Amino acid sequence: MDTQIVKSVIHDIKKININSVIIIRSTMPIGFSIKFSKTNNYKNIIYVPEFLREGKALYDNLYPSRIIIGSTSKQAKIFSKILLKSIFKKNISVLFTNSSEAEAIKLFSNAYLAMRISFFNELDSYTIKNKSINAKKIIHGICLDSRIGNYYNNPSFGFGGYCLPKDTQQLIMHFKNIPNVLINSIIKSNNKRINLIADQIIKNKIKVIGIYKLSMKYKSDNYRSSAILKIIKKIQYQKIKILIYEPMLNKKIFNCIKINNLNIFKKNSEIILTDRFYEELKDVKNKIYTRDIFIYS
């Protein structure tokens, strides 16, 4: 993980006031805060992770799931009170840890979410190959168990975005010399899922494929590292014509054809790939390929 920007900003702040209290909210490698503080003889650096969902950042700031403070100092406790006064949610859990523990909480949390997505995607992959069983019914039955819960269980083309891929990769780096199987397998599972989806599409021998939106999450405008981008890369080698409908895209991508008119896009696409089903695709439902089993079905 590249931490140069964070280091540079801290150095600039300390040049102005060496006693400044600095709150780091960006995801950091485990051990970064304490090591950097000791190396530079800096005090009052506090790591406070934020847990924001794609497309719901403001809501998650105002109604956070929990508050983790990576310090037990007087300044840390003052900052925790500032956070509590700034949110709408009442009776929220506040946990004080050391900085390395707080950094670990952030990385392990995102790796767990990536693992959960991969689990339900692999379940869905199983049903793709075993058509006599219904993924939606299986997932519903599994998630009736309160220990598992009915959330984060709708299959997709794979996880992507700002946090889950990079944070899982970072955690794998921390496990470099520590025996593990599960953590190391999360990214591999995601890659296999993407390959399976691409193979499913290619085997249909379609000549013109439409890609409806590049974002990896419903109602999101972020398509960085989305699974659909990797799927496009794989199918474009098959000499398949690829049309993209993405209002947020202002440049050409992967030598694909960008279509700005939705009706023209629908008409010219033999099959339409969409990670999440949208109401405006209802009239071409027979063309849709998605694994969004809860909204689409």
Side-chain angles (χ1 to χ4, degrees):
M1 185 180 292
D2 187 353
T3 59
Q4 289 306 312
I5 293 177
V6 174
K7 290 178 180 178
S8 177
V9 170
I10 293 174
H11 286 315
D12 288 343
I13 293 171
K14 290 298 186 180
K15 283 178 186 176
I16 297 171
N17 183 355
I18 192 65
N19 296 315
S20 295
V21 177
I22 295 175
I23 309 295
I24 301 176
R25 307 222 68 184
S26 299
T27 305
M28 290 289 112
I30 300 171
F32 168 83
S33 300
I34 190 167
K35 183 179 179 181
F36 183 70
S37 296
K38 286 183 177 179
T39 301
N40 296 280
N41 196 27
Y42 288 160
K43 296 179 180 179
N44 300 331
I45 294 179
I46 304 170
Y47 182 68
V48 182
E50 54 188 3
F51 305 93
L52 309 179
R53 292 171 294 172
E54 181 70 31
K56 294 187 177 181
L58 177 59
Y59 180 90
D60 290 340
N61 264 306
L62 297 175
Y63 298 90
S65 56
R66 72 281 205 196
I67 293 175
I68 307 295
I69 309 289
S71 172
T72 56
S73 68
K74 179 182 176 181
Q75 292 88 346
K77 290 176 180 177
I78 292 172
F79 184 68
S80 72
K81 291 177 181 178
I82 293 172
L83 287 180
L84 288 170
K85 288 180 180 179
S86 304
I87 65 175
F88 295 155
K89 190 174 182 179
K90 305 301 179 185
N91 302 318
I92 187 169
S93 297
V94 180
L95 177 64
F96 291 91
T97 69
N98 65 39
S99 60
S100 296
E101 289 165 343
E103 289 157 352
I105 288 169
K106 174 65 174 179
L107 290 179
F108 274 98
S109 293
N110 278 348
Y112 175 81
L113 294 175
M115 178 191 70
R116 187 177 173 100
I117 292 169
S118 295
F119 176 86
F120 286 106
N121 279 345
E122 286 200 5
L123 183 159
D124 183 60
S125 295
Y126 181 81
T127 65
I128 288 174
K129 296 294 186 179
N130 294 269
K131 298 186 183 300
S132 62
I133 56 179
N134 184 291
K136 185 176 181 179
K137 290 181 180 178
I138 297 169
I139 292 172
H140 180 63
I142 290 170
C143 294
L144 287 173
D145 187 331
S146 60
R147 296 170 299 175
I148 297 172
N150 188 26
Y151 64 94
Y152 240 68
N153 57 5
N154 192 10
S156 64
F157 292 159
F159 63 77
Y162 289 107
C163 298
L164 300 191
K166 73 174 179 60
D167 290 0
T168 305
Q169 289 279 18
Q170 178 62 44
L171 192 57
I172 290 170
M173 294 298 296
H174 285 295
F175 270 91
K176 185 167 55 176
N177 298 314
I178 301 171
N180 79 95
V181 174
L182 184 59
I183 301 298
N184 234 318
S185 298
I186 297 171
I187 297 294
K188 293 177 183 177
S189 173
N190 200 49
N191 290 336
K192 283 187 178 292
R193 172 66 171 184
I194 290 167
N195 288 336
L196 182 143
I197 297 296
D199 290 343
Q200 287 292 118
I201 296 159
I202 291 167
K203 77 177 185 180
N204 288 316
K205 297 182 179 179
I206 301 294
K207 292 181 180 179
V208 183
I209 292 177
I211 308 293
Y212 179 81
K213 296 193 175 180
L214 302 175
S215 59
M216 65 3 161
K217 198 166 183 181
Y218 188 64
K219 293 186 177 179
S220 167
D221 60 358
N222 166 39
Y223 53 83
R224 188 175 76 174
S225 298
S226 67
I228 195 71
L229 295 178
K230 295 178 181 178
I231 291 171
I232 292 172
K233 279 187 176 181
K234 291 183 179 299
I235 63 178
Q236 71 177 158
Y237 292 117
Q238 306 298 316
K239 296 182 179 179
I240 298 171
K241 187 177 181 180
I242 301 174
L243 311 179
I244 294 179
Y245 177 79
E246 174 51 82
M248 300 301 298
L249 185 67
N250 54 20
K251 61 181 180 179
K252 196 172 183 180
I253 187 169
F254 299 145
N255 293 317
C256 300
I257 300 170
K258 185 178 184 298
I259 305 292
N260 295 320
N261 186 293
L262 182 57
N263 291 325
I264 293 174
F265 169 80
K266 290 176 182 178
K267 181 180 178 180
N268 293 340
S269 301
E270 292 181 51
I271 187 172
I272 297 174
L273 272 61
T274 178
D275 203 12
R276 288 291 174 249
F277 184 73
Y278 291 76
E279 208 42 46
E280 59 190 6
L281 296 175
K282 202 170 182 180
D283 61 324
V284 288
K285 198 171 181 179
N286 62 317
K287 289 187 176 184
I288 300 299
Y289 182 91
T290 184
R291 300 312 302 168
D292 185 359
I293 63 174
F294 284 100
I295 298 176
Y296 178 65
S297 58

